Amino acid sequence: MSTALAAPPVFVPAMRDRATTWVAAGALAALAVLPWGLEGGASALVRAVRGEVAHGVLVALAIVTLVCAWRGAARATAIGAGLAVVWAFAAAFAAGAKGTSFGIGAAVSLIALVACFARAIARRGAFKGDPAVATIVVVVAALLAIFIFFPVGSVLSAAMFDEDGSFAPGLAASRLFAADIWEVKCLTGGVHCGVAMNSAVLATLVGFVSTFVGLVLALVVQRGGQRYVAITKVMSILPIVTPPFVIALALVVLFGRTGIVTTLLNDWFDIPRSRWLYGLPGVALAQLLTFSPIAFLLLHGALAAISPALEEAAQTLRASRWRIFRTVTLPLLKPALANAFLLGFVESLADFGNPIVLAGNFDVLSTKIFFAIAGAQHDPGRAAALAVVLLGLTLVAFWLQQRWIGKLSYVTVTGKGDSGLHALLPPWLRRSCLAFAVVWFVFTLACYAIILTGGLVKDIGRGDMTLTLFHLSQGFAIDTSSRATMFVGSAWDSLFTTLEVAAISAPLTAIVGLLSAYVITRHRFGGRRAFEFLTMVSFAIPGTVIGVSYIVAFNVAPLELTGGMAILVLCFVFRNMPVGVRAGIAALAQIDRTLDEASSTLRASTTRTLTRVVLPLLKPAILATLVFSFTHAMTAVSAVIFLATAKYNLATVYIINRVEAGEYPLAIAYSSVLIVIMLAILLTVQALVGEARLGRRATPMLAGGG
Amino acid sequence: MDQSQGGVVFERVTKRYGAVTAVDDVSFTVQQGHLVTLLGPSGCGKTTTLRMVAGLEPVSAGRVLIGGNDVTLCAANERDVSMVFQSYALFPHMTVLENASYGPLSMGTDKAKARDLAREKLAMLGLAEFENRLPSELSGGQQQRVAVARSLVLEPAVLLFDEPLSNLDAKLRRRVREEIRELQQSLKLTVLYVTHDQEEALAVSDHIIVMNGGRIAQEGAPEDLYERPVSRFLADFIGDANLVDGELAPEADGASFAAGGVALPVRAHGVAAGPATLAIRPQRLTLGEPGHGVPGTVKRVAYLGSRVEYVVASAWGELLIFDADVHRLRRRDEAVGVSFLPDAAIVLPQ
């Protein structure tokens, strides 16, 4: 009887809309007072007075908007504000590279004008007349358009144009279908395959094997007859706190030409040292260790969700344990297995950190894109073409996921809690899984042990295990001898920048993500599905593609952001936003809608409902999003490696640079510092709010990370 | 019209969800100080109707008036109504007092005043000692009272109840519905009440509106609906009824109803001769010796202490009969005659 989504009621236009008037006034104030351009200088009003026509028109339109808002003329307000925004962008893009870049004044006034526009169209009946919803949807959509769709579109078009900027479909075709991207000679005995083929082969391999590993570990924990709480806990935390190249570093230390294991094998069994690690085997191994925990968590959840009653029913029908596993458990896991495979596939495609350390001559798309931009052959067109290929592969994977998994899903959890016990695995299977799990776990722990100790010994890469603080002090020395404390270590700058960027971007991510989740779940308006899709899109775009697209799109006026800190913050906010949206949607699904309605019938406005009822109940989701986006901002590499500069360097980029220079001990020391910081943050927050949701909620959203 | 000034007027309201029409051209009035019930099977549009009064669903067509004002375009928070939700919808992170003072605080009342208003209503419902508890620390019945108190604090022109008893156990249900009725009568509240339980509706209402398929099937006082249903659906939905299909024929001094080869006198009340349905309440049928009325055989007997329930296979099909004469117990397979007074049967057109 009550429908799935109650529409917010129709808004009754009061004669004057004070809030819209205030927002319009704010826009005008920003135009009058704040410096318009990036380099500071005059405000738009001052520029207009000086006789700059473009700014004159903009200020005039803003005044018109304010007057119309004050007089309550919604249609005129919408037209005025809309024209002002369009004009500002049109004029700025027409001026092109020679024009002024948008600065603080432009940002504030344009957002305010967009909000004015949204409120005004709400008063005309759009978004069921709810101005708060209209503002959230329109402003978020506008920001997504600027910071996701515009840059990605720029990359697509960059692949289509030659160096002089003229349209070159022939060149685009030759770039997109170049032999070194697609050739398959390695299959027929040749030396190299195309880079896209390499990536696809690697991703398929990693997808399959990580799903297998995840399944084995999940079976041990869920159907092994023992409680392995520790495993689950460690597995749920590791992916969050591990920068994506850390495993690769540990593998180099273990299996590199002078690695610990290599040396032992050489000494004891005369097995010659080799470079087998550098290439497909090494990258695949590193990615497996990095991504298997994600497959594990996914399958662990799926196994737990299978109703025990089904397995008990099979038992009462005289099925053996093996038969139960084969005919009930495994078939019900199919959707989760498919999901785990695709997640592993996408993670591997997007991964940058492991290949940059280990790939050697085995080129993959993400590193190839990076070298096309940063390498000697600086060729943005080629980088763009490779980015298009990478994006295409990823989108195909996600499309398959949607198409296929959507139809595969079995609902095994009903509203009523089924009590009962899951069936155990047959003993032989349980023992083999356990043995595999132990080996895997020891291997994983060895990697982390290497990282955590490697920074404290002289040269772990060559087996020199003399304890020393040299590497730590190289990076993190503090000079207290003079009066002022000096952070003289070479890593301090990047660590401070990283913490600052993470601390700024985390709350912004939470706000944008949760507000979007709120309007998506709680309000019904035209285009709601499309809006939900928009907020999720950046989830499917590999970091490398975002990185390239940001430097292609935000290199020139009017949106000139490269080289600053703002671009790092923006990159994190819009890349991590889907996590906030998902966490918010999941949390809101558990908060009964009638609470909102009760608040509304008790005369509360949408804003009051949001602040007094919804937000307090969302606290766990807010914290989870904050922690996730903070740690993710600290571990990300693939996008920001294009955006970090000497002035605003980030920890991960700094470490990658040390690796490239061969300074492994410093890189390892820094990695361990990062892991310790993030563990400290995570455990503190978990202790504060109870561990309830943090781990599980955050992990399935790691896709596209790195 | 004067009396409806403080109440609700629902004027030709329609609600569509895409191609589905949930509420179809419905009009009714809730008079001030009355308790009106929207009754119907699930999916009949009664909750949608209530939510349109609350302003939680926009109407597709028609007008809604509350206290004489057209509020069709007003949002829920701009209407002088309060609602008690089926789930109670108590804010789980607020204490009882905070829940109860939420309304006045939304209206901008200052904190101390809002608390006083809240305390007054909480005391009225016997909740004074619980004001610092969280909803999770209360029993189901107490939570229900908090929900009622919270909606009373604003002293709304109309109070809405959405199946308020459905989360209570059977015994408590009876007590709470009496409390609600008493509260409504002592405070002279105007109430619109939704339920699917016909007994609950008969017990609490001044006026019942029965809905079916998005339309009003019948409305009237409880006894009107019980004694004079206008359709097969209504006879069956409110209370138990035996429904017999047959033929109505005019007679010199009234009418007769014939089915299965047996014709008995009835009152036609304007129903035209021809195919018709006869509705008879089980307690209005009398068991007698064979040869009187409709011949039949006792199929099942259930002795309930206060009455005996018989199922009789007869020329008119299976008939359900409540017999208050518990001392004259009839056996299975006993041959009987079933009769009734002409006034006891309701003739419905087909």
Side-chain angles (χ1 to χ4, degrees):
Chain A
M1 172 129 11
S2 53
T3 44
L5 276 174
V10 177
F11 183 76
V12 183
M15 274 312 287
R16 272 177 201 154
D17 181 356
R18 297 177 85 179
T20 309
T21 313
W22 279 112
V23 176
L28 200 58
L31 288 174
V33 179
L34 295 174
W36 174 264
L38 189 60
E39 282 89 30
S43 70
L45 184 63
V46 174
R47 287 166 197 261
V49 172
R50 277 190 207 145
E52 290 181 38
V53 181
H55 289 100
V57 174
L58 178 61
V59 172
L61 283 169
I63 293 172
V64 169
T65 306
L66 176 59
V67 172
C68 294
W70 182 68
R71 298 198 46 190
R75 183 201 294 260
T77 312
I79 294 173
L83 274 181
V85 173
V86 171
W87 171 262
F89 275 96
F93 275 102
K98 292 172 300 238
T100 322
S101 295
F102 286 164
I104 180 76
V108 172
S109 58
L110 289 176
I111 288 177
L113 284 168
V114 170
C116 265
F117 171 77
R119 295 188 65 91
I121 60 169
R123 281 168 58 80
R124 297 286 303 163
F127 299 99
K128 302 275 183 213
D130 191 321
V133 174
T135 311
I136 293 169
V137 173
V138 173
V139 171
V140 169
L143 290 173
L144 284 172
I146 295 172
F147 292 108
I148 297 291
F149 295 96
F150 169 63
V152 171
S154 303
V155 161
L156 294 182
S157 68
M160 301 289 169
F161 292 87
D162 62 18
E163 273 148 36
D164 309 324
S166 45
F167 184 58
L171 179 63
S174 70
R175 273 176 183 156
L176 281 174
F177 301 106
D180 63 348
I181 298 182
W182 297 106
E183 71 185 340
V184 289
K185 268 188 208 141
C186 57
L187 297 180
T188 54
V191 189
H192 289 300
C193 262
V195 57
M197 286 303 150
N198 281 348
S199 278
V201 167
L202 174 68
T204 311
L205 183 70
V206 169
F208 271 119
V209 183
S210 69
T211 305
F212 174 76
V213 174
L215 177 64
V216 170
L217 298 184
L219 284 174
V220 168
V221 172
Q222 271 286 328
R223 300 287 194 276
Q226 303 273 328
R227 299 192 56 196
Y228 300 94
V229 183
I231 296 189
T232 325
K233 195 153 175 139
V234 169
M235 288 295 224
S236 61
I237 290 179
L238 284 186
I240 302 179
V241 298
T242 309
F245 42 76
V246 159
I247 297 287
L249 286 181
L251 289 180
V252 168
V253 170
L254 284 169
F255 301 111
R257 251 181 74 77
T258 59
I260 298 170
V261 175
T262 313
T263 308
L264 286 182
L265 290 176
N266 189 24
D267 291 352
W268 294 351
F269 306 108
D270 276 337
I271 295 173
R273 297 170 186 273
S274 78
R275 296 182 56 84
W276 67 270
L277 187 66
Y278 298 93
L280 177 64
V283 181
L285 190 58
Q287 291 190 340
L288 282 175
L289 285 162
T290 314
F291 301 138
S292 291
I294 297 162
F296 162 77
L297 287 172
L298 212 143
L299 294 167
H300 180 269
L303 272 171
I306 293 176
S307 165
L310 295 172
E311 289 173 1
E312 287 184 335
Q315 244 169 334
T316 62
L317 295 168
R318 311 284 187 281
S320 67
R321 285 178 173 178
W322 169 239
R323 190 173 149 75
I324 296 174
F325 177 70
R326 201 168 43 84
T327 58
V328 177
T329 315
L330 212 49
L332 286 175
L333 270 188
K334 255 190 218 158
L337 288 170
N339 237 332
F341 168 75
L342 281 171
L343 211 55
F345 185 89
V346 169
E347 291 275 9
S348 167
L349 272 185
D351 185 26
F352 176 83
N354 289 312
I356 194 88
V357 178
L358 285 174
N361 291 327
F362 181 76
D363 289 323
V364 294
L365 283 167
S366 57
T367 51
K368 201 82 178 168
I369 292 170
F370 175 66
F371 289 122
I373 292 277
Q377 42 157 343
H378 185 76
D379 185 352
R382 185 171 150 71
L386 289 167
V388 172
V389 172
L390 177 53
L391 184 60
L393 280 179
T394 315
L395 291 181
V396 166
F398 272 103
W399 178 75
L400 279 178
Q401 184 190 32
Q402 293 297 318
R403 277 294 301 257
W404 181 33
I405 317 258
K407 287 177 191 156
L408 255 178
S409 122
Y410 310 106
V411 178
T412 57
V413 186
T414 51
K416 283 182 185 159
D418 275 316
S419 56
L421 293 172
H422 285 295
L424 293 181
L425 294 178
W428 61 269
L429 184 58
R430 190 162 81 228
R431 275 195 286 274
S432 356
C433 285
L434 192 59
F436 183 91
V438 167
V439 171
W440 189 263
F441 218 59
V442 167
F443 199 26
T444 305
L445 286 183
C447 290
Y448 280 90
I450 295 283
I451 295 301
L452 292 176
T453 56
L456 300 172
V457 299
K458 211 163 190 179
D459 190 351
I460 198 165
R462 291 191 169 71
D464 186 344
M465 302 297 273
T466 327
L467 280 177
T468 173
L469 286 176
F470 172 75
H471 307 302
L472 268 181
S473 73
Q474 203 185 342
F476 300 99
I478 299 173
D479 185 358
T480 47
S481 57
S482 56
R483 255 177 303 157
T485 308
M486 302 279 281
F487 296 93
V488 291
S490 59
W492 280 119
D493 282 346
S494 62
L495 183 61
F496 288 148
T497 310
T498 303
L499 289 170
E500 193 178 345
V501 169
I504 296 173
S505 63
L508 291 176
T509 310
I511 291 170
V512 177
L514 295 174
L515 283 178
S516 305
Y518 171 73
V519 295
I520 288 168
T521 50
R522 287 301 211 254
H523 293 272
R524 193 168 47 187
F525 52 88
R528 185 171 62 89
R529 293 243 157 239
F531 180 67
E532 182 176 359
F533 178 75
L534 289 187
T535 61
M536 292 294 180
V537 162
S538 68
F539 190 60
I541 304 174
T544 325
V545 176
I546 289 282
V548 171
S549 63
Y550 268 40
I551 53 169
V552 168
F554 300 132
N555 214 8
V556 290
L559 291 167
E560 189 185 341
L561 295 163
T562 46
M565 195 158 89
I567 196 169
L568 296 171
V569 171
L570 289 165
C571 177
F572 285 134
V573 169
F574 290 100
R575 260 174 74 57
N576 294 336
M577 181 184 151
V579 177
V581 176
R582 285 207 178 176
I585 288 178
L588 282 162
Q590 300 188 354
I591 303 173
D592 196 341
R593 303 182 47 80
T594 56
L595 293 179
D596 299 25
E597 295 178 354
S599 172
S600 176
T601 59
L602 292 167
R603 315 286 193 279
S605 62
T606 300
T607 314
R608 184 170 154 83
T609 304
L610 201 58
T611 53
R612 300 304 304 276
V613 177
V614 179
L615 278 185
L617 292 172
L618 271 184
K619 242 180 234 161
I622 295 172
L623 266 171
T625 310
L626 283 178
V627 169
F628 178 84
S629 42
F630 188 88
T631 52
H632 209 71
M634 287 189 70
T635 56
V637 181
S638 55
V640 288
I641 196 156
F642 296 92
L643 308 174
T645 55
K647 191 174 172 202
Y648 298 106
N649 205 356
L650 292 177
T652 49
V653 178
Y654 179 92
I655 296 172
I656 292 279
N657 288 336
R658 297 286 72 71
V659 171
E660 299 225 291
E663 299 173 38
Y664 282 89
L666 179 52
I668 290 175
Y670 201 164
S671 299
S672 63
V673 169
L674 278 187
I675 291 179
V676 168
I677 292 176
M678 281 181 286
L679 263 184
I681 292 172
L682 200 68
L683 295 179
T684 313
V685 174
Q686 285 197 349
L688 286 179
V689 295
E691 55 161 326
R693 316 178 164 192
L694 288 176
R696 280 283 289 284
R697 173 111 343 131
T699 30
M701 296 143 190
L702 285 171
Chain B
M1 204 59 208
D2 206 23
Q3 270 184 306
S4 72
Q5 280 303 303
V8 178
V9 178
F10 219 56
E11 210 175 272
R12 309 206 57 180
V13 173
T14 296
K15 174 70 190 176
R16 284 180 221 97
Y17 295 107
V20 182
T21 304
V23 173
D24 191 4
D25 197 11
V26 165
S27 303
F28 62 82
T29 301
V30 181
Q31 293 191 340
Q32 193 167 9
H34 279 206
L35 193 156
V36 175
T37 300
L38 290 169
L39 175 66
S42 59
C44 71
K46 58 187 191 296
T47 294
T48 308
T49 303
L50 190 78
R51 291 168 59 84
M52 285 192 286
V53 175
L56 295 169
E57 302 268 353
V59 303
S60 306
R63 296 204 306 159
V64 182
L65 282 78
I66 294 174
N69 302 315
D70 186 340
V71 295
T72 315
L73 294 175
C74 287
N77 53 17
E78 296 163 335
R79 297 189 183 191
D80 195 9
V81 298
S82 287
M83 182 152 163
V84 177
F85 289 80
Q86 185 172 6
S87 63
Y88 313 144
L90 297 177
F91 305 125
H93 56 302
M94 297 182 192
T95 63
V96 167
L97 184 62
E98 284 169 336
N99 263 290
S101 49
Y102 188 87
L105 286 174
S106 298
M107 305 272 290
T109 313
D110 73 78
K111 235 179 177 165
K113 181 95 171 62
R115 279 178 180 219
D116 291 344
L117 290 170
R119 287 211 172 96
E120 180 193 328
K121 295 295 188 276
L122 287 173
M124 188 173 14
L125 282 141
L127 292 161
E129 55 187 306
F130 301 117
E131 64 172 49
N132 289 319
R133 297 240 195 126
L134 288 173
S136 54
E137 296 163 342
L138 299 176
S139 71
Q142 289 165 339
Q143 291 183 20
Q144 214 262 357
R145 283 157 187 247
V146 175
V148 174
R150 182 177 72 177
S151 56
L152 281 176
V153 172
L154 285 175
E155 304 196 336
V158 182
L159 192 56
L160 308 174
F161 284 90
D162 184 11
E163 310 234 3
L165 307 183
S166 61
N167 286 326
L168 301 175
D169 63 56
K171 273 232 166 107
L172 204 54
R173 219 176 271 190
R174 196 185 190 103
R175 214 183 74 203
V176 172
R177 89 181 179 213
E178 281 161 9
E179 281 175 9
I180 289 177
R181 178 62 165 166
E182 220 173 279
L183 193 71
Q184 182 262 332
Q185 291 188 323
S186 62
L187 298 180
K188 303 204 171 22
L189 299 172
T190 309
V191 173
L192 187 58
Y193 189 107
V194 160
T195 181
H196 64 271
D197 181 340
Q198 44 95 12
E199 189 186 311
E200 187 180 324
L202 292 173
V204 299
S205 315
D206 291 307
H207 188 86
I208 298 177
I209 298 168
V210 183
M211 293 185 69
N212 190 29
R215 291 165 174 274
I216 293 181
Q218 188 179 355
E219 58 176 310
E223 62 275 20
D224 286 343
L225 291 179
Y226 189 80
E227 296 294 341
R228 285 176 287 283
V230 296
S231 70
R232 212 186 152 89
F233 164 77
L234 278 145
D236 198 31
F237 187 71
I238 297 184
D240 295 303
N242 292 295
L243 297 168
V244 183
D245 293 328
E247 198 80 22
L248 186 70
E251 298 263 313
D253 56 342
S256 83
F257 180 83
V262 181
L264 290 172
V266 294
R267 302 258 186 274
H269 288 297
V271 177
T277 301
L278 199 66
I280 321 168
R281 301 290 178 197
Q283 69 273 23
R284 309 299 289 267
L285 288 171
T286 319
L287 280 180
E289 300 314 309
H292 293 277
V294 188
T297 323
V298 175
K299 278 281 158 208
R300 286 198 295 276
V301 184
Y303 176 80
L304 298 181
S306 60
R307 67 176 190 229
V308 188
E309 294 187 7
Y310 295 98
V311 175
V312 173
S314 75
W316 282 11
E318 283 207 340
L319 296 174
L320 178 66
I321 300 161
F322 297 163
D323 192 351
D325 183 4
V326 295
H327 300 299
R328 170 83 173 84
L329 208 56
R330 294 174 193 272
R331 313 247 152 254
R332 253 187 85 168
D333 295 329
E334 195 177 320
V336 291
V338 181
S339 57
F340 54 89
L341 296 172
D343 285 330
I346 307 140
V347 180
L348 301 167
Q350 239 173 12

